[in-house]
Amino acid sequence: MGIMGLNVCVGIDAGTNSSKVAYFDVNENSTKIIAELENFNLLALREEAEIYFDEPIFSCVISVSDNFSRRQKDDVIFSAKKSGFKNVNLITSHEAVKMFMSNNNTDINESILTYDFGASKSDITLFNYDEIIEDEIIDDVCGNEFDKIFSEWLVERFTLNLIDKKILLNQAENIKITLSNSDYVTWRDVKILREDFERLIHFNVKRSLHTVEKFKRIYKPSRFILTGGCSNIPEVKKIFRGFEVIDNIIVKGAAIKAASISNDTSRNKSEKLNTALKIRELRGKLMELEEFLTRKQKDRLYILFRQAEGVSAAEPEIINFIENLINDILKSQD
């Protein structure tokens, strides 16, 4: 890309079985998914981001599970810094969703139900702007479980007892992904229909719907969002009809947060530069006036200068006070 001097901060979704890195373009109000890996590898994600921007990347915002302990969060920060990130910020999945919704001008004062249908678990969360109201994790309704069920069916259907289980699981996952966009896939010269796979997972997906219905009945949420890798499976969309499918909402929210941090950093640098230039200009005026000032006026002004230089752009009123004081002295000389 060759976008130099951007002080880029990227967003990362630290998934259990996969991870993603994204960048939010403030000018276009859009998110670019830079890379997606099958495992959690922060060094590889950073390298992908550096290739994309053609410059070093030292800052990131990483989204982690709302259920992460303090130690787990510390481990993520340690891993990020070991991978070359110097500035590391963590946000929870809930906060990432809030960032995404707020950026899209969504009123989230009302409760929102999200179903994050991931690889290692399903995470059903009901929240409003201030807090998570209730959260429930279902470990056995997820992409990994679907791969396991599907691979066992393949073994039974095609008598594949001698095949390596890990290889078969990977092949089952690839077939699952292909069937999300096709009615069938040819594997080992045999046609496997989407309906074969959907019949195998139907009961599990339907079972998790009972939890969703419980949340809906008790809290009556105003909006429903389906996300996660498995949200693209047609049978999942069919069972969760009425849910808005938003791909990659977690990493998009992290990227939006990263963009806000990057903009704040750039703004602070600009403010500090403007303050330094203003102080230099005022010091020049002070030197011109020095012979006309009393000792008391000199001492007072130099104390104010030291205060202004110490707090930099954080206290612009000090700069304004010095400027007004010097202007008053100038007027008295006329």
Side-chain angles (χ1 to χ4, degrees):
M1 293 287 294
I3 309 176
M4 300 302 292
L6 263 180
N7 187 33
V8 175
C9 184
V10 295
I12 293 174
D13 179 7
T16 307
N17 285 59
S18 64
S19 52
K20 302 172 186 138
V21 58
Y23 169 72
F24 181 73
D25 189 318
V26 177
N27 295 323
E28 296 184 4
N29 195 37
S30 64
T31 308
K32 167 70 177 178
I33 308 297
I34 297 172
E36 180 174 359
L37 304 179
E38 292 183 356
N39 51 23
F40 180 49
N41 188 330
L42 288 171
L43 178 59
L45 290 175
R46 178 170 170 256
E47 289 173 347
E48 290 289 342
E50 291 183 336
I51 291 170
Y52 180 79
F53 287 104
D54 192 23
E55 67 170 270
I57 305 294
F58 297 115
S59 302
C60 67
V61 171
I62 304 176
S63 174
V64 297
S65 171
D66 293 278
N67 302 301
F68 264 28
S69 65
R70 180 68 260 172
R71 182 171 180 176
Q72 287 175 305
K73 291 177 181 178
D74 288 342
D75 287 343
V76 172
I77 293 173
F78 176 79
S79 178
K81 294 198 171 182
K82 190 176 178 181
S83 301
F85 289 107
K86 295 180 180 178
N87 306 308
V88 183
N89 295 271
L90 297 189
I91 61 172
T92 65
S93 299
H94 167 233
E95 290 170 329
V97 171
K98 285 202 305 184
M99 289 298 302
F100 178 87
M101 304 293 279
S102 297
N103 184 70
N104 287 270
N105 300 316
T106 300
D107 180 7
I108 56 176
N109 289 321
E110 300 296 327
S111 56
I112 296 174
L113 182 67
T114 62
Y115 192 123
D116 187 358
F117 215 133
S120 61
K121 60 182 172 59
S122 287
D123 193 348
I124 304 171
T125 307
L126 187 98
F127 69 93
N128 56 27
Y129 190 83
D130 296 319
E131 62 180 344
I132 294 175
I133 299 170
E134 189 170 347
D135 183 44
E136 186 164 333
I137 293 175
I138 305 176
D139 292 319
D140 59 348
V141 182
C142 57
N144 291 346
E145 186 67 19
F146 293 167
D147 296 341
K148 180 182 175 183
I149 293 170
F150 196 25
S151 65
E152 289 173 353
W153 179 81
L154 291 172
V155 168
E156 183 179 339
R157 175 73 171 77
F158 300 106
T159 320
L160 301 172
N161 294 321
L162 297 179
I163 193 169
D164 183 274
K165 288 186 178 180
K166 187 174 181 179
I167 293 174
L168 185 58
L169 277 171
N170 288 335
Q171 292 179 353
E173 181 184 19
N174 292 333
I175 294 171
K176 175 189 71 179
I177 293 170
T178 303
L179 289 175
S180 292
N181 300 300
S182 304
D183 292 330
Y184 68 91
V185 61
T186 302
W187 183 73
R188 292 182 172 234
D189 298 323
V190 177
K191 183 182 288 187
I192 298 176
L193 303 178
R194 179 196 289 169
E195 62 188 53
D196 292 329
F197 170 69
E198 291 185 339
R199 185 177 64 255
L200 293 168
I201 68 168
H202 177 84
F203 175 76
N204 282 34
V205 179
K206 198 78 173 178
R207 180 162 54 86
S208 69
L209 183 63
H210 293 311
T211 302
V212 171
E213 293 296 338
K214 179 190 74 173
F215 277 48
K216 290 168 69 174
R217 186 173 60 255
I218 296 172
Y219 298 107
K220 297 178 174 54
S222 56
R223 190 167 180 181
F224 308 92
I225 295 172
L226 186 65
T227 190
C230 292
S231 63
N232 291 311
I233 297 174
E235 182 69 6
V236 172
K237 291 180 181 178
K238 180 180 177 182
I239 291 174
F240 286 91
R241 64 174 62 90
F243 274 65
E244 180 183 357
V245 179
I246 304 179
D247 287 336
N248 300 311
I249 190 172
I250 305 296
V251 73
K252 287 178 179 178
I256 292 167
K257 177 66 175 178
S260 69
I261 290 175
S262 182
N263 287 341
D264 287 344
T265 302
S266 299
R267 192 178 299 114
N268 288 340
K269 285 182 177 179
S270 176
E271 288 175 355
K272 287 180 180 179
L273 177 60
N274 290 336
T275 298
L277 292 173
K278 190 67 179 178
I279 289 174
R280 185 182 301 174
E281 177 190 338
L282 292 173
R283 272 193 176 277
K285 287 184 179 181
L286 179 58
M287 290 176 67
E288 294 174 6
L289 284 173
E290 202 159 9
E291 62 180 294
F292 304 107
L293 299 178
T294 66
R295 180 62 181 269
K296 187 175 181 180
Q297 287 175 322
K298 287 181 187 178
D299 290 345
R300 186 183 184 192
L301 281 167
Y302 280 116
I303 288 171
L304 288 170
F305 270 115
R306 284 196 296 273
Q307 289 178 346
E309 291 168 337
V311 298
S312 189
E315 300 287 351
E317 59 268 21
I318 296 179
I319 305 296
N320 294 333
F321 186 80
I322 293 173
E323 186 173 22
N324 291 334
L325 195 59
I326 290 177
N327 287 336
D328 288 342
I329 295 172
L330 284 170
K331 288 177 183 179
S332 67
Q333 301 298 317
D334 295 339

